[in-house]
Amino acid sequence: MTPAAAEGVAKTTAASSGPRRRKSVTGTRRTVAALFLLPALVLLGALVVYPIGYSIVRSFYDNSGDGFAGFANYRALFTDDGIRAALKNNIVWVVFAPAVATALGLIFAVLTERVRWGTAFKLVVFMPMAISMLAAGIIFRLVYDQDPDKGVANAVWVGVHDTFAESSAFPKAHPGRQSPLRAERGGFITTGTVHTGRPVALPLVGVAPDKMPDGAKKAVPAEPEPGRITGTTWQDFTRGKGVGRLGEVDPAELGYAGMRIEAVRDGRVVASAKAAADGTFTLPAKADGAQLRLPASNFKEPYNGVDWLGPSLVTPAVIGAYVWMWAGFAMVLIAAGLAGVPRELLEAARVDGANEWQVFRRVTVPLLAPVLAVVAVTLMINVLKIFDLVFIIAPGSSQDDANVLALELYRKGFSEGRPGVASAIAVLLLLLVIPVMLFNMRRLRREVRR
């Protein structure tokens, strides 16, 4: 047989036998690959596809699940006040929480790049990721406690406030029986005038012994001084029935340390002084003939900090807890991207005369744009589903103001017995997540093509 004839026979045989089945790149048959994927596909269908499909179907039925409700449950999404408030708060979450967490992660990643202890710092910042949302919620419920003796946030805030504007130690103090003082504009003023060389007694009651200032000492009767007005302001109360003399300083009674005393004549303050630890005070001769006033600043309620979990601040407070947890996640991803940035580009920018801020803004950030997009999109998807922190941190009185869609879904489905509306909220959440996921997928495909 000639070579040409042999070639023709080979072609005929190949054509009659048809195309051969191609194997996968790894050499595995498609049937075997499908068998290996089957358990994962079953789980995916049971845990993802079926619940989504059931929720969509259930959203068109009434609360009992027997009657077809049409789009009534979806109309409730735009007419129910609770759902609208939750949707508004979700918008706030999506706008601010990912942006703040990503910005902090970027700052931490860049600032710790050249620091010797940068790895230890990153470990500390990333540690909150190891804490569950439940535990983080409990922690921040305590952090935001209104009582400065319990809540760290208010303890710091009150400390800063009192550094510049000292709080009163005597909010409950007031004149007792047969007192020479009368009320005036939130404070108290003597009924008569005072004169030099005659000690003045300004007794008050109403402050519990354990609430007296730490520096308060046992009260001492003021001694007369020529050309000066002296006096004592003290807690005119001694424990025990029939113990102590009214209007006189007794050995067990404490002075009002730090009490401000003003000498007022014709409505104008002519002199002022602060009581010593034993309650004594001294005013100059120009106070002669004036009335002594204990101004209202002595009796104002002590500054108790900020109502972090009140209606106006509860959402920013919960977002703060979320940022505390997820800023470490953003930092680690951005730091990994930063490690892949070509150093010669940064050095070239510096050689060309750019300062560090210009290098950061015009070189580092543009090169990190893909990583920043990954972090921001991941956090956006995450905050759309936020539930745990809001449910735990926000007290019952403010939970309506901190409400989000996932929490409203829970409340509608389990507290109010409206599973149809709850299913509609679930579908709405799915529709909100899908565009973000599609954006992320397109961006990833674009990166692969590069």
Side-chain angles (χ1 to χ4, degrees), residues 214-226:
D214 295 335
K217 297 180 179 179
K218 291 183 178 180
V220 176
E223 298 292 335
E225 293 185 22

Side-chain angles (χ1 to χ4, degrees), residues 86-146:
L87 183 59
K88 181 188 70 174
N89 285 333
N90 262 100
I91 293 173
V92 174
W93 271 89
V94 169
V95 171
F96 290 101
V100 175
T102 304
L104 282 178
L106 176 61
I107 293 171
F108 290 154
V110 172
L111 292 182
T112 58
E113 187 185 20
R114 300 181 182 179
V115 180
R116 183 177 300 177
W117 42 266
T119 302
F121 179 82
K122 290 176 183 177
L123 178 63
V124 172
V125 176
F126 187 74
M127 279 179 63
M129 283 295 299
I131 302 175
S132 68
M133 287 282 194
L134 173 64
I138 294 172
I139 291 170
F140 274 87
R141 182 66 181 267
L142 297 174
V143 167
Y144 291 132
D145 195 289
Q146 180 68 41

Side-chain angles (χ1 to χ4, degrees), residues 16 22 26 30 38 41 43 106-107 113 122 133 137 149 165 177 207 216 261 268 282 305 342 356 378:
S16 61
R22 293 182 180 179
T26 59
R30 292 181 178 177
L38 186 60
L41 293 174
L43 287 175
L106 176 61
I107 293 171
E113 187 185 20
K122 290 176 183 177
M133 287 282 194
D149 294 331
R177 293 175 294 144
V207 180
I261 300 97
R268 186 168 55 90
T282 303
E356 291 301 320
T378 303

Side-chain angles (χ1 to χ4, degrees), residues 7 9 32 62 164 194-195 217 257 275 286 288 331 339 347 434 449:
E7 184 179 355
V9 172
V32 176
D62 59 15
F164 300 98
V194 297
H195 300 279
K217 297 180 179 179
K286 60 183 178 181
D288 186 62
M331 179 195 65
E347 294 302 327
I434 285 176
R449 289 170 187 168

